[in-house]
Amino acid sequence: MKIIAVGMNYAAHNKELHHTLEQREPVIFMKGDAVLKDGKPFFIPDFSSEVHYETELVVKISRLGKHIAEQFAHRYYGEVTVGIDFTARDLQTQLRNRGLPWEISKAFDGAAVAGKFLPLSTAGDIRRLAFRLDVNGQTVQAGNTCDMIFSVDEIVAYASRFFTLRMGDLIYTGTPAGVGAVRIGDRLQGYLGDSRLLDFYVR
């Protein structure tokens, strides 16, 4: 299983991080096999003092695909959930400023949290899915896939140009505005609509 992630896919989030890149194609990066699931706790790594949550809609690939046409992309996934793309923001900033790859700030162990998956038949229209993150009972991020710069089908088609998509692969589709740091003891709960799919603690 591999984890493909999309950066800068919500305009409001790009503004809050001062990204000015004019995007003509999705920004793709990999998160290795860093998935954390089943409500297991997330442990803040000792190499960062500023780990940020980034709440995202996550799509699970359901069949083998390569060079997928956008109009057929919907055939290659059938389940979705809410996930967290954890980012060691201080490390990422240092690496970016030095012009170096920043994979270690995104793909460290446990950096991709995934909730319980729902079939799309239950979740609803992939183009209009509302999701949110609560930290300690307070909503800190809320987004809707209708606000994506690149749709899920565009992302699947684009990613398949470079990577063979296989059953079980996960695609993190980008985060809306409202990212922030986590602290030991925080409880994170992620919702897709009214369904709580994610619930874990930071240690």
Side-chain angles (χ1 to χ4, degrees), residues 70-92:
E70 184 182 332
Q71 63 265 38
F72 301 125
H74 65 279
R75 300 179 181 177
Y76 290 82
Y77 59 89
E79 294 179 279
V80 295
T81 191
V82 177
I84 306 291
D85 167 20
F86 275 122
T87 304
R89 190 73 70 200
D90 49 355
L91 183 57
Q92 183 188 45

Side-chain angles (χ1 to χ4, degrees), residues 95-113:
L95 292 167
R96 274 181 166 165
N97 289 343
R98 294 162 60 194
L100 298 174
W102 39 266
E103 184 177 16
I104 59 174
S105 72
K106 284 279 195 178
F108 57 88
D109 290 346
V113 185

Side-chain angles (χ1 to χ4, degrees), residues 2 4 61 63-70 72-73 75-76 155-167 169:
K2 59 183 172 289
I4 299 170
I61 297 299
R63 59 189 292 192
L64 185 71
K66 178 72 173 174
H67 295 295
I68 301 166
E70 184 182 332
F72 301 125
R75 300 179 181 177
Y76 290 82
I155 292 166
V156 169
Y158 182 76
S160 74
R161 290 173 54 191
F162 307 97
F163 310 105
T164 298
L165 302 182
R166 304 181 187 278
M167 287 183 63
D169 287 349

Side-chain angles (χ1 to χ4, degrees), residues 107-172:
F108 57 88
D109 290 346
V113 185
K116 176 185 176 183
F117 280 88
L118 289 180
L120 273 177
S121 57
T122 299
D125 186 348
I126 192 75
R127 298 166 298 178
R128 296 176 182 84
L129 292 180
F131 59 96
R132 77 176 198 268
L133 176 69
D134 289 358
V135 176
N136 302 325
Q138 299 294 320
T139 299
V140 294
Q141 272 192 292
N144 193 299
T145 56
C146 69
D147 295 322
M148 286 180 169
I149 296 171
F150 299 100
S151 70
V152 170
D153 287 355
E154 288 176 298
I155 292 166
V156 169
Y158 182 76
S160 74
R161 290 173 54 191
F162 307 97
F163 310 105
T164 298
L165 302 182
R166 304 181 187 278
M167 287 183 63
D169 287 349
L170 303 181
I171 299 180
Y172 282 62

